[in-house]
Amino acid sequence: MSLQILLNGISTGAVYSLIAIGFALVFNILKFSNFSHGATMTASAFIAYFLVASKGWGLAPTLLCSALSGAIIGLIGEFIGFRRILLNHSAPTYFFVSSITLGTLYEGLVTLKTGTNFYVYPNFFDVATVKIFDAVVSKENIIILAISAVALIILAFIIQKTSIGRQIRAVSFDRDTAKLMGINSTLIIQVVFAISGFFGGLAGCFLGIKFTLTSTLGSLVVKGFIASVIGGLGSLTGAVIGAMLLGIMEALFLSLWGSGWATIASFALMLVFLLVRPQGIAGSNVQEKA
Amino acid sequence: MKLFLYVLTQVCITLVSVCGIYILTGLTGMFSLGSAAFMAIGAYVSGLLVLKAGLNMYAAFAAAIIFSVGIGYVIGFPIVRLRRDYISLVTLGFGESIAQLILLLSQFTGGAFGLIGVPRRVNVWFTLISAVIVIAITAFFKTSKFGRQCIAVKSDELAAQAMGINASRVKMTAFLMSCALTSFAGCLYAFYVGYVGPTDFGWKKSADWVIMVFFGGVNSLTGSIFGGAFLTFLPQYMQALNKYRYIVYAVLVLIILNFKPNGVFGEWELSPRNLKRLFSPKKNRREDV
Amino acid sequence: MALLEIRHIYKNFGGLRAIDDFSLEANAGEIHGIIGPNGAGKTTIFNTITGVYHPDQGEVWLDGNNITKLPQYKITHMGIGRTFQNIRIFKGLTVEENVMCAFDPQSKYSIIGGILPTPNRIREERRGRELTRQYLDVVGMLGYKDEKPENLSYGNQRKVEIARALICKPKVLLLDEPAAGLTPTEVSELTDLIRKISADFGFAILLIEHRLDLVMSISDTIHVQNFGKTIASGTAKEVQNDPAVIEAYLGAEE
Amino acid sequence: MKKYLAMFLAAVCLFACFGVTAFADDPIVIGILQDTTGGTATLGKSVQKGVEDAIADINAAGGIGGKEVQFIEYDTAANVDTAIAAYIKAVTVDEVDFIIAPPIANIVNGLKAMTASFDVPMITLAVDPACYKDENGNIYSSLFCAQPSTTVQGTIMAEFALQNGFKNFGVFYTKDNSYSVALLNPFIDTVREKGGALEEANIIGYNSTETDISTLIKPLIDAGVDAIYCPNYTAPLVLIKKTCDQLGYTGAIITGLDGAPAFNTQVGADCSNVYYINNIDVYEEATEKMIEERCAEVGAPNKYFLGYDSMQMAAKIMEEVGTDAAAITEKLSSYSYEGMTGVISIDPETHMPVDGTPMFMYKYDNTTPVMLQKYPAE
């Protein structure tokens, strides 16, 4: 396992963690995996590309624009896709179906404007890589690592220490009782979707930089789903640990057995992991009582 | 007319797998993102058995279905033991692995080129009869003790266990039924189109089937069949507005999900009793089931 | 060897000791009341007997078989039916189908019968329907057989749960606060119903109930639980003036 | 009341599906079946524009035998089921006289079984020879290809690489893309026959869904190969080129048609180590003029010209034998046409252009394309 493979694994893991954070936030509060997150990422990456990147501004404005458009798309998504289902108290599987349909809707709108040819973000750095011993890491990966670490700390602070955080935790335990306690659940859910969209925008932009910007970029959301499950559904720190683990594991398997067997091996490992520890690394296993 | 027959065949094949998904997700509430992989297994195994081993078509179908149920049994073990939200993840991983296996065994499956030259012995009437038989089987399944137990497990697994229902076995039966039906759909597809491509069986296809069940009515077989037929007809007949096809499709489903949450048909089931009840005079009709 | 023998079971969740050395012996026809303040571990006892979870120590014997470690559905097959503290009816099924569900494990037809109308299936389904109607009649709910249970009143839902427990052909019936939320008339109806089924079917009944008037009137022996311990057990009169019971309920005398 | 509303809604939707499209009167109708949505839409749209421009030029010059040429566009959406539905609609409902089909092997493999039951002549640009034969090897009568096969392209690229002094080769191809797999063996066999070194370990396949290119391609760079053969679509190619630069790889990258321009602008860095093959000589004066005028936003100019030539060839044949399908297919199976992409002469055995069809090897000087060699050399 050479240093280069490890660094590749960590940088893939960093992007997966941004996706997984967005995932875990929504799962935490609504107990369902939001599959429209992938399309939110792609849409905000495209918006950032057209509004900012193609005009040659730097990386920071592009990232900001992508994150903000992600937040806005998250809010719109909450209103169109999930608000009424929430009010009707339908089964979680309804959220799942509406999140996939919402994803198809965003992807349709994006392909409408951009067709399906792909775009490439301009190179934000003249020297794109940094040498560590004999291994090479691109600057984007380092920034991704930094941002996801900082983001996690800020998020953990907000969730644990601030009043918004307490309200989010209250709503995630029980929406209706929280409402009875005077918490505006709908507003809190909107805030959570905005934060999740914010991270989705960031992840989408970095995916666009690391890989080319195509309308099917959103299908990587599946990796975020796997990472947030391994980490323990709903727990943020678990999601990031799960993402790192997934990234490094994939890089290791790829370097050992090549692409075909790597997918099968990671599926087998995930299966064993779930059977041994169903609640994930940091999840909690609540015994159902009659 | 020929186009209508072609689309009708596609609808029948989709309905066979939608019935499988109805039993798995509609009745038992288990959410699979890998059912399309069983369609792939059915298509490839039956195609190969006829092409390489010279078996007759019906024997190949039977063998392919039994093989898929066998694999379903193996992958079913973790599924029936895990929490509900993990099922979609395990089946997703399973589907991706099957897609990789198809590429890795390229000397048999033709790898990226797909399985070429499967004899086209299935016509529209064959698929129509198969769809009708499968719908009947699903209807009998729903009204049998197995159907009731599935709904009981979906509604409250712990209470079901308390009533002596072996929840794991019920979930396994439902899963194996869905494997059998989706692989049968795979066989029909292979012998109608004459070609099986490796990339047509991703998780999006399994998600489409689930959307069809929800669109029509998650608790009603009639609704799921309507959902399956309508959402298969729609894209084929919307060739004109091809760019907007996916947008219209998504908007339509979102409207139904938001404003008529349990689907176009809700709980309503096409049964003689309900029909009589629907068209009987207003005064003696109590709120129907 | 009594019909149902619970020998010194213990159960704790993390640090909390929910059941602290609980034992009980019950024979056919007897009615045992289990009372105690909220959080005394009453429902935990039911959950441990029926296999929702297994006791940390001790054993449960039914009709000479050790059912301590059996899975939940197997314990029910051995002959334990139960109702729930908060009603757990199967949504999406009518009242009749709800009760049929409890009969289904006993009906003998295979998956072939499941997908095709085989003679086996038709015979078993008819037998099931007759039995269900019979038990629904016992609890007086036959008129509502095609209704959706969620639309019924609280008392009626409770009766459906009882019918569902009866059809399991239990040797021991566990009733978990059947009178909770009922009007006084409904409580007296329920008391007669319990007496009737105990007389007609002759199985042992364990009854958790806060309504002391109901418990005292129909129970042969009463067990008083407090913080997981059995602080007293005996006939209604003995338990009523047992100092430990009074203290647990009314607080210590000045 | 709610139940009636649901029933009414269902009935309306089903009825709306059976609307019948209007029927065109008797001009020559061309069916353009291309992927205008989905993963390969860039190629599909380029072919579509090429065919439309050709029809415009033909109509400007008086149409075919005095008859006006019309076209109907169908989106095959990179999906076999949609492609078959579009094909059946074209041949039955709209009764087109000629079909230009997508350059995608999977789609053609799906369609060809259908062509046996309808004899409408069809030109496609899928370069994999297997697309034109059924399972026991005999050719589908009404199915033709107007682009040199992968065997031709793979061999030319291998010969070019050996002539230019590359010795130790690596291969990095997309396993789940039949175009990429079809270009594999011709290159490998020619290199090994003509003395190049290409170990089995240096042939690496990856999945289009995989993103960690650095880990996947590292073994090739560690093996110190002096040329990597990458027959992939343009999007992954840009990523591979960027990763190779990052990993400090200075050897050559040999690509298929997808290394052609727009690739250089999308990489946005020095592409001097990239060699690619193309059907057109961009510096030949007529082609250059046409590229300026018409290919401004065409994703793949070479596909544009292939579409253009296919339509012109079809028009020439229909000029001679009219629109009777059997006559067209019979004429087409040994026809030879001089177009923008050079002489296309169809080999009756394979229904594909004979091996002599010209192709051109290019290189980039920083980011401007330089035409190096014409195959077969005059």
Side-chain angles (χ1 to χ4, degrees), chain B residues 137 140-141 143-146 148-149 151-152 155-156 158-166 173 177 286, chain C residues 72-73 76-77 82 84 88 90-91 93 100-101 104-105 107 109-111 114-115 117 121 125 147:
Chain B
I137 284 178
F140 280 121
F141 184 88
T143 51
S144 76
K145 67 173 182 179
F146 299 97
R148 273 193 300 275
Q149 287 177 348
I151 297 172
S155 160
D156 186 337
L158 194 134
Q161 296 259 40
M163 291 307 123
I165 295 171
N166 180 350
T173 321
M177 280 294 286
R286 242 180 310 145
Chain C
Q72 207 178 341
Y73 70 91
T76 311
H77 290 174
R82 72 168 296 177
F84 295 95
R88 298 179 80 123
F90 300 137
K91 287 205 197 61
L93 291 174
M100 278 284 276
C101 256
D104 285 335
S107 83
Y109 61 91
S110 68
I111 185 72
I115 53 176
R121 163 189 169 138
E125 287 286 304
E147 285 307 317

Short mmCIF file of all heavy atoms in Angstrom, two decimals, chain B residues 137 140-141 143-146 148-149 151-152 155-156 158-166 173 177 286, chain C residues 72-73 76-77 82 84 88 90-91 93 100-101 104-105 107 109-111 114-115 117 121 125 147:
data_model
loop_
_atom_site.label_atom_id
_atom_site.label_comp_id
_atom_site.label_asym_id
_atom_site.label_seq_id
_atom_site.Cartn_x
_atom_site.Cartn_y
_atom_site.Cartn_z
N ILE B 137 -51.23 -14.65 -10.27
CA ILE B 137 -50.44 -15.25 -9.18
C ILE B 137 -50.29 -14.24 -8.05
O ILE B 137 -50.50 -14.54 -6.87
CB ILE B 137 -49.05 -15.69 -9.71
CG1 ILE B 137 -49.17 -16.98 -10.53
CG2 ILE B 137 -48.06 -15.86 -8.58
CD1 ILE B 137 -47.87 -17.44 -11.13
N PHE B 140 -53.50 -13.82 -6.15
CA PHE B 140 -53.73 -14.97 -5.24
C PHE B 140 -52.78 -14.88 -4.05
O PHE B 140 -53.14 -15.15 -2.91
CB PHE B 140 -53.51 -16.30 -5.97
CG PHE B 140 -54.68 -16.71 -6.82
CD1 PHE B 140 -54.54 -16.91 -8.19
CD2 PHE B 140 -55.94 -16.86 -6.25
CE1 PHE B 140 -55.62 -17.26 -8.97
CE2 PHE B 140 -57.03 -17.22 -7.04
CZ PHE B 140 -56.87 -17.42 -8.40
N PHE B 141 -51.55 -14.44 -4.34
CA PHE B 141 -50.58 -14.34 -3.23
C PHE B 141 -51.06 -13.34 -2.18
O PHE B 141 -51.02 -13.58 -0.98
CB PHE B 141 -49.21 -13.89 -3.79
CG PHE B 141 -48.12 -13.84 -2.74
CD1 PHE B 141 -47.36 -14.98 -2.46
CD2 PHE B 141 -47.85 -12.67 -2.03
CE1 PHE B 141 -46.37 -14.95 -1.49
CE2 PHE B 141 -46.86 -12.64 -1.07
CZ PHE B 141 -46.12 -13.77 -0.80
N THR B 143 -54.10 -12.40 -1.47
CA THR B 143 -55.28 -12.80 -0.68
C THR B 143 -54.98 -14.07 0.12
O THR B 143 -55.84 -14.54 0.86
CB THR B 143 -56.47 -13.08 -1.63
OG1 THR B 143 -55.99 -13.98 -2.64
CG2 THR B 143 -56.97 -11.80 -2.27
N SER B 144 -53.80 -14.62 -0.03
CA SER B 144 -53.50 -15.86 0.73
C SER B 144 -52.93 -15.50 2.09
O SER B 144 -52.73 -14.33 2.40
CB SER B 144 -52.43 -16.66 -0.02
OG SER B 144 -51.18 -16.02 0.21
N LYS B 145 -52.61 -16.50 2.87
CA LYS B 145 -52.05 -16.24 4.21
C LYS B 145 -50.69 -15.54 4.07
O LYS B 145 -50.31 -14.72 4.91
CB LYS B 145 -51.90 -17.54 4.99
CG LYS B 145 -50.87 -18.52 4.45
CD LYS B 145 -50.68 -19.70 5.43
CE LYS B 145 -49.61 -20.66 4.91
NZ LYS B 145 -49.39 -21.80 5.83
N PHE B 146 -49.99 -15.82 2.96
CA PHE B 146 -48.66 -15.20 2.79
C PHE B 146 -48.82 -13.69 2.62
O PHE B 146 -48.09 -12.89 3.21
CB PHE B 146 -47.96 -15.81 1.56
CG PHE B 146 -47.73 -17.29 1.70
CD1 PHE B 146 -48.62 -18.20 1.15
CD2 PHE B 146 -46.65 -17.75 2.43
CE1 PHE B 146 -48.41 -19.56 1.30
CE2 PHE B 146 -46.44 -19.12 2.58
CZ PHE B 146 -47.33 -20.03 2.01
N ARG B 148 -51.29 -11.79 3.66
CA ARG B 148 -51.66 -11.17 4.96
C ARG B 148 -50.44 -11.03 5.85
O ARG B 148 -50.19 -9.98 6.46
CB ARG B 148 -52.70 -12.05 5.66
CG ARG B 148 -54.14 -11.77 5.25
CD ARG B 148 -55.10 -12.43 6.20
NE ARG B 148 -54.93 -13.88 6.24
CZ ARG B 148 -55.51 -14.72 5.36
NH1 ARG B 148 -56.26 -14.20 4.40
NH2 ARG B 148 -55.33 -16.03 5.44
N GLN B 149 -49.63 -12.10 5.90
CA GLN B 149 -48.46 -12.04 6.80
C GLN B 149 -47.49 -10.96 6.34
O GLN B 149 -46.90 -10.25 7.15
CB GLN B 149 -47.77 -13.40 6.84
CG GLN B 149 -48.58 -14.43 7.63
CD GLN B 149 -47.95 -15.82 7.61
OE1 GLN B 149 -47.04 -16.07 6.84
NE2 GLN B 149 -48.44 -16.70 8.46
N ILE B 151 -48.26 -8.13 4.87
CA ILE B 151 -48.79 -6.82 5.29
C ILE B 151 -48.62 -6.66 6.79
O ILE B 151 -48.25 -5.58 7.30
CB ILE B 151 -50.28 -6.69 4.87
CG1 ILE B 151 -50.40 -6.74 3.34
CG2 ILE B 151 -50.91 -5.41 5.41
CD1 ILE B 151 -51.81 -6.82 2.81
N ALA B 152 -48.82 -7.74 7.54
CA ALA B 152 -48.67 -7.67 9.00
C ALA B 152 -47.21 -7.30 9.34
O ALA B 152 -46.96 -6.41 10.15
CB ALA B 152 -49.02 -9.02 9.62
N SER B 155 -46.57 -3.74 8.56
CA SER B 155 -47.22 -2.77 9.46
C SER B 155 -46.55 -2.77 10.82
O SER B 155 -46.27 -1.72 11.37
CB SER B 155 -48.70 -3.16 9.58
OG SER B 155 -49.23 -2.58 10.73
N ASP B 156 -46.27 -3.96 11.39
CA ASP B 156 -45.67 -3.96 12.74
C ASP B 156 -44.99 -5.30 12.96
O ASP B 156 -45.60 -6.28 13.38
CB ASP B 156 -46.79 -3.73 13.77
CG ASP B 156 -46.20 -3.58 15.17
OD1 ASP B 156 -45.07 -4.07 15.39
OD2 ASP B 156 -46.86 -2.98 16.02
N LEU B 158 -42.91 -6.45 15.12
CA LEU B 158 -42.84 -7.03 16.47
C LEU B 158 -44.18 -7.68 16.84
O LEU B 158 -44.24 -8.81 17.32
CB LEU B 158 -42.48 -5.92 17.47
CG LEU B 158 -42.06 -6.44 18.84
CD1 LEU B 158 -40.81 -5.75 19.32
CD2 LEU B 158 -43.19 -6.25 19.84
N ALA B 159 -45.27 -6.96 16.55
CA ALA B 159 -46.60 -7.52 16.85
C ALA B 159 -46.82 -8.79 16.04
O ALA B 159 -47.38 -9.78 16.53
CB ALA B 159 -47.66 -6.48 16.53
N ALA B 160 -46.32 -8.79 14.78
CA ALA B 160 -46.50 -9.98 13.93
C ALA B 160 -45.79 -11.17 14.58
O ALA B 160 -46.35 -12.27 14.69
CB ALA B 160 -45.92 -9.71 12.55
N GLN B 161 -44.59 -10.94 15.05
CA GLN B 161 -43.86 -12.04 15.72
C GLN B 161 -44.67 -12.53 16.93
O GLN B 161 -44.78 -13.73 17.18
CB GLN B 161 -42.49 -11.52 16.20
CG GLN B 161 -41.56 -11.09 15.10
CD GLN B 161 -40.50 -12.15 14.80
OE1 GLN B 161 -40.79 -13.35 14.81
NE2 GLN B 161 -39.31 -11.71 14.56
N ALA B 162 -45.27 -11.56 17.63
CA ALA B 162 -46.03 -11.94 18.83
C ALA B 162 -47.23 -12.79 18.46
O ALA B 162 -47.74 -13.57 19.26
CB ALA B 162 -46.48 -10.68 19.57
N MET B 163 -47.67 -12.66 17.21
CA MET B 163 -48.84 -13.47 16.79
C MET B 163 -48.37 -14.78 16.15
O MET B 163 -49.15 -15.47 15.50
CB MET B 163 -49.68 -12.68 15.77
CG MET B 163 -50.38 -11.49 16.36
SD MET B 163 -51.36 -11.95 17.82
CE MET B 163 -50.64 -10.87 19.06
N GLY B 164 -47.09 -15.10 16.31
CA GLY B 164 -46.61 -16.40 15.83
C GLY B 164 -46.17 -16.37 14.38
O GLY B 164 -45.95 -17.43 13.77
N ILE B 165 -46.00 -15.17 13.81
CA ILE B 165 -45.58 -15.10 12.40
C ILE B 165 -44.05 -15.05 12.39
O ILE B 165 -43.45 -14.20 13.07
CB ILE B 165 -46.16 -13.86 11.71
CG1 ILE B 165 -47.68 -13.97 11.64
CG2 ILE B 165 -45.57 -13.65 10.33
CD1 ILE B 165 -48.37 -12.70 11.17
N ASN B 166 -43.41 -15.93 11.63
CA ASN B 166 -41.95 -15.93 11.54
C ASN B 166 -41.54 -14.84 10.55
O ASN B 166 -41.49 -15.08 9.34
CB ASN B 166 -41.48 -17.31 11.07
CG ASN B 166 -39.96 -17.36 10.96
OD1 ASN B 166 -39.29 -16.32 11.05
ND2 ASN B 166 -39.42 -18.54 10.76
N THR B 173 -39.67 -15.15 1.93
CA THR B 173 -40.61 -15.60 0.87
C THR B 173 -40.90 -14.45 -0.08
O THR B 173 -40.82 -14.61 -1.30
CB THR B 173 -41.94 -16.06 1.52
OG1 THR B 173 -41.65 -16.75 2.72
CG2 THR B 173 -42.75 -16.90 0.59
N MET B 177 -39.98 -14.38 -4.01
CA MET B 177 -41.02 -14.17 -5.04
C MET B 177 -40.57 -13.06 -5.98
O MET B 177 -40.64 -13.18 -7.21
CB MET B 177 -42.35 -13.78 -4.37
CG MET B 177 -43.14 -14.93 -3.80
SD MET B 177 -43.75 -16.08 -5.03
CE MET B 177 -45.09 -15.12 -5.76
N ARG B 286 -71.40 1.95 2.22
CA ARG B 286 -70.55 2.46 3.29
C ARG B 286 -69.19 2.81 2.72
O ARG B 286 -68.87 2.37 1.61
CB ARG B 286 -70.38 1.36 4.37
CG ARG B 286 -70.96 1.80 5.74
CD ARG B 286 -70.81 0.75 6.80
NE ARG B 286 -71.27 -0.57 6.37
CZ ARG B 286 -70.67 -1.71 6.76
NH1 ARG B 286 -69.63 -1.65 7.57
NH2 ARG B 286 -71.08 -2.88 6.36
N GLN C 72 -39.43 -15.29 19.36
CA GLN C 72 -40.76 -14.83 19.75
C GLN C 72 -41.86 -15.68 19.13
O GLN C 72 -42.77 -16.17 19.84
CB GLN C 72 -40.91 -13.38 19.28
CG GLN C 72 -41.87 -12.56 20.11
CD GLN C 72 -41.93 -11.14 19.61
OE1 GLN C 72 -41.05 -10.66 18.91
NE2 GLN C 72 -42.98 -10.45 19.98
N TYR C 73 -41.76 -15.92 17.81
CA TYR C 73 -42.88 -16.60 17.14
C TYR C 73 -42.98 -18.04 17.62
O TYR C 73 -44.08 -18.60 17.73
CB TYR C 73 -42.73 -16.52 15.62
CG TYR C 73 -41.61 -17.35 15.05
CD1 TYR C 73 -41.81 -18.65 14.63
CD2 TYR C 73 -40.31 -16.83 14.97
CE1 TYR C 73 -40.78 -19.43 14.13
CE2 TYR C 73 -39.28 -17.59 14.46
CZ TYR C 73 -39.52 -18.90 14.05
OH TYR C 73 -38.48 -19.64 13.57
N THR C 76 -44.93 -18.18 20.87
CA THR C 76 -46.38 -18.06 20.61
C THR C 76 -46.93 -19.40 20.15
O THR C 76 -48.00 -19.85 20.62
CB THR C 76 -46.61 -17.00 19.52
OG1 THR C 76 -45.86 -15.84 19.87
CG2 THR C 76 -48.07 -16.64 19.40
N HIS C 77 -46.18 -20.10 19.32
CA HIS C 77 -46.68 -21.42 18.87
C HIS C 77 -46.80 -22.38 20.06
O HIS C 77 -47.69 -23.22 20.10
CB HIS C 77 -45.70 -22.03 17.85
CG HIS C 77 -45.68 -21.31 16.54
ND1 HIS C 77 -44.82 -21.60 15.52
CD2 HIS C 77 -46.43 -20.28 16.09
CE1 HIS C 77 -45.03 -20.79 14.51
NE2 HIS C 77 -46.00 -19.97 14.82
N ARG C 82 -50.88 -12.81 23.49
CA ARG C 82 -50.76 -11.56 24.29
C ARG C 82 -51.45 -10.40 23.60
O ARG C 82 -51.68 -10.43 22.38
CB ARG C 82 -49.28 -11.22 24.50
CG ARG C 82 -48.59 -10.73 23.25
CD ARG C 82 -47.24 -10.13 23.53
NE ARG C 82 -47.33 -8.93 24.37
CZ ARG C 82 -46.26 -8.26 24.82
NH1 ARG C 82 -45.07 -8.70 24.50
NH2 ARG C 82 -46.40 -7.21 25.57
N PHE C 84 -51.25 -5.85 23.76
CA PHE C 84 -50.17 -4.88 23.99
C PHE C 84 -50.70 -3.69 24.79
O PHE C 84 -51.87 -3.34 24.71
CB PHE C 84 -49.61 -4.38 22.64
CG PHE C 84 -48.93 -5.46 21.88
CD1 PHE C 84 -49.63 -6.16 20.90
CD2 PHE C 84 -47.62 -5.82 22.16
CE1 PHE C 84 -49.01 -7.19 20.19
CE2 PHE C 84 -47.00 -6.84 21.45
CZ PHE C 84 -47.70 -7.53 20.48
N ARG C 88 -51.41 -2.38 19.07
CA ARG C 88 -50.59 -2.59 17.87
C ARG C 88 -51.38 -3.44 16.87
O ARG C 88 -51.22 -4.64 16.75
CB ARG C 88 -49.27 -3.30 18.22
CG ARG C 88 -48.42 -2.49 19.19
CD ARG C 88 -47.15 -3.22 19.53
NE ARG C 88 -46.11 -3.09 18.50
CZ ARG C 88 -44.89 -2.60 18.73
NH1 ARG C 88 -44.58 -2.17 19.94
NH2 ARG C 88 -43.99 -2.53 17.79
N PHE C 90 -52.60 -4.29 12.94
CA PHE C 90 -51.95 -4.25 11.61
C PHE C 90 -52.75 -3.32 10.69
O PHE C 90 -53.91 -3.61 10.34
CB PHE C 90 -51.94 -5.66 10.99
CG PHE C 90 -51.18 -6.66 11.82
CD1 PHE C 90 -51.65 -7.94 12.04
CD2 PHE C 90 -49.97 -6.31 12.42
CE1 PHE C 90 -50.96 -8.86 12.82
CE2 PHE C 90 -49.26 -7.21 13.20
CZ PHE C 90 -49.75 -8.50 13.39
N LYS C 91 -52.11 -2.20 10.32
CA LYS C 91 -52.78 -1.29 9.36
C LYS C 91 -52.82 -1.99 8.00
O LYS C 91 -51.99 -2.83 7.72
CB LYS C 91 -51.97 0.01 9.25
CG LYS C 91 -52.08 0.93 10.45
CD LYS C 91 -51.79 2.40 10.04
CE LYS C 91 -51.48 3.24 11.26
NZ LYS C 91 -50.26 2.72 11.97
N LEU C 93 -54.98 -3.97 6.96
CA LEU C 93 -55.77 -5.21 6.98
C LEU C 93 -57.09 -4.91 7.67
O LEU C 93 -57.13 -4.09 8.60
CB LEU C 93 -55.03 -6.30 7.77
CG LEU C 93 -53.75 -6.88 7.14
CD1 LEU C 93 -53.08 -7.84 8.13
CD2 LEU C 93 -54.08 -7.62 5.85
N MET C 100 -57.26 -13.17 11.32
CA MET C 100 -56.82 -14.32 10.48
C MET C 100 -55.30 -14.45 10.53
O MET C 100 -54.76 -15.55 10.51
CB MET C 100 -57.24 -14.07 9.02
CG MET C 100 -58.67 -14.43 8.68
SD MET C 100 -58.91 -16.21 8.53
CE MET C 100 -58.41 -16.48 6.82
N CYS C 101 -54.62 -13.31 10.62
CA CYS C 101 -53.15 -13.33 10.63
C CYS C 101 -52.62 -14.23 11.74
O CYS C 101 -51.63 -14.95 11.56
CB CYS C 101 -52.63 -11.90 10.89
SG CYS C 101 -52.01 -11.16 9.40
N ASP C 104 -53.03 -17.82 10.73
CA ASP C 104 -52.28 -18.30 9.56
C ASP C 104 -51.15 -19.26 9.87
O ASP C 104 -50.97 -20.25 9.16
CB ASP C 104 -51.74 -17.09 8.77
CG ASP C 104 -52.91 -16.43 8.00
OD1 ASP C 104 -53.90 -17.14 7.72
OD2 ASP C 104 -52.84 -15.22 7.74
N PRO C 105 -50.34 -19.04 10.96
CA PRO C 105 -49.27 -20.02 11.20
C PRO C 105 -49.80 -21.44 11.37
O PRO C 105 -49.07 -22.40 11.16
CB PRO C 105 -48.60 -19.52 12.48
CG PRO C 105 -48.92 -18.06 12.56
CD PRO C 105 -50.25 -17.90 11.89
N SER C 107 -52.42 -22.61 9.65
CA SER C 107 -53.12 -23.17 8.46
C SER C 107 -52.11 -23.89 7.57
O SER C 107 -50.99 -23.39 7.38
CB SER C 107 -53.83 -22.04 7.69
OG SER C 107 -52.92 -21.42 6.84
N TYR C 109 -51.10 -24.91 4.26
CA TYR C 109 -50.93 -25.05 2.81
C TYR C 109 -49.64 -24.34 2.44
O TYR C 109 -49.21 -23.41 3.09
CB TYR C 109 -52.14 -24.51 2.03
CG TYR C 109 -52.48 -23.05 2.19
CD1 TYR C 109 -51.97 -22.08 1.34
CD2 TYR C 109 -53.36 -22.64 3.20
CE1 TYR C 109 -52.30 -20.74 1.47
CE2 TYR C 109 -53.70 -21.31 3.34
CZ TYR C 109 -53.18 -20.36 2.47
OH TYR C 109 -53.54 -19.04 2.62
N SER C 110 -49.02 -24.83 1.35
CA SER C 110 -47.65 -24.37 1.04
C SER C 110 -47.73 -23.16 0.12
O SER C 110 -48.80 -22.68 -0.21
CB SER C 110 -46.94 -25.49 0.27
OG SER C 110 -47.61 -25.57 -1.00
N ILE C 111 -46.56 -22.72 -0.33
CA ILE C 111 -46.47 -21.55 -1.21
C ILE C 111 -47.24 -21.82 -2.51
O ILE C 111 -47.82 -20.92 -3.10
CB ILE C 111 -44.99 -21.20 -1.49
CG1 ILE C 111 -44.89 -19.89 -2.31
CG2 ILE C 111 -44.27 -22.31 -2.21
CD1 ILE C 111 -45.20 -18.65 -1.54
N GLY C 114 -50.30 -20.72 -1.98
CA GLY C 114 -50.27 -19.26 -1.90
C GLY C 114 -50.53 -18.61 -3.24
O GLY C 114 -51.18 -17.56 -3.33
N ILE C 115 -50.00 -19.25 -4.34
CA ILE C 115 -50.16 -18.56 -5.63
C ILE C 115 -51.25 -19.19 -6.48
O ILE C 115 -51.61 -18.65 -7.53
CB ILE C 115 -48.81 -18.56 -6.40
CG1 ILE C 115 -48.24 -19.98 -6.53
CG2 ILE C 115 -47.79 -17.67 -5.70
CD1 ILE C 115 -46.97 -20.04 -7.37
N PRO C 117 -55.21 -21.31 -6.39
CA PRO C 117 -56.33 -21.69 -5.50
C PRO C 117 -56.42 -23.21 -5.32
O PRO C 117 -57.36 -23.84 -5.81
CB PRO C 117 -57.55 -21.11 -6.23
CG PRO C 117 -57.16 -21.03 -7.67
CD PRO C 117 -55.67 -20.82 -7.70
N ARG C 121 -55.74 -24.94 0.04
CA ARG C 121 -55.83 -23.54 0.45
C ARG C 121 -57.28 -23.17 0.75
O ARG C 121 -57.60 -22.58 1.77
CB ARG C 121 -55.29 -22.65 -0.68
CG ARG C 121 -55.71 -21.18 -0.54
CD ARG C 121 -55.33 -20.41 -1.79
NE ARG C 121 -55.94 -19.08 -1.78
CZ ARG C 121 -55.28 -17.97 -2.16
NH1 ARG C 121 -54.03 -18.05 -2.54
NH2 ARG C 121 -55.87 -16.80 -2.16
N GLU C 125 -58.46 -21.84 4.28
CA GLU C 125 -58.94 -20.45 4.40
C GLU C 125 -60.35 -20.44 4.99
O GLU C 125 -60.67 -19.64 5.87
CB GLU C 125 -58.96 -19.77 3.01
CG GLU C 125 -57.57 -19.42 2.46
CD GLU C 125 -56.94 -18.21 3.18
OE1 GLU C 125 -57.57 -17.15 3.20
OE2 GLU C 125 -55.85 -18.37 3.76
N GLU C 147 -64.47 -3.80 8.65
CA GLU C 147 -64.04 -2.41 8.90
C GLU C 147 -62.52 -2.31 8.92
O GLU C 147 -61.81 -3.30 9.15
CB GLU C 147 -64.56 -1.96 10.27
CG GLU C 147 -66.06 -1.66 10.28
CD GLU C 147 -66.46 -0.67 9.20
OE1 GLU C 147 -65.72 0.32 9.03
OE2 GLU C 147 -67.44 -0.92 8.49
#
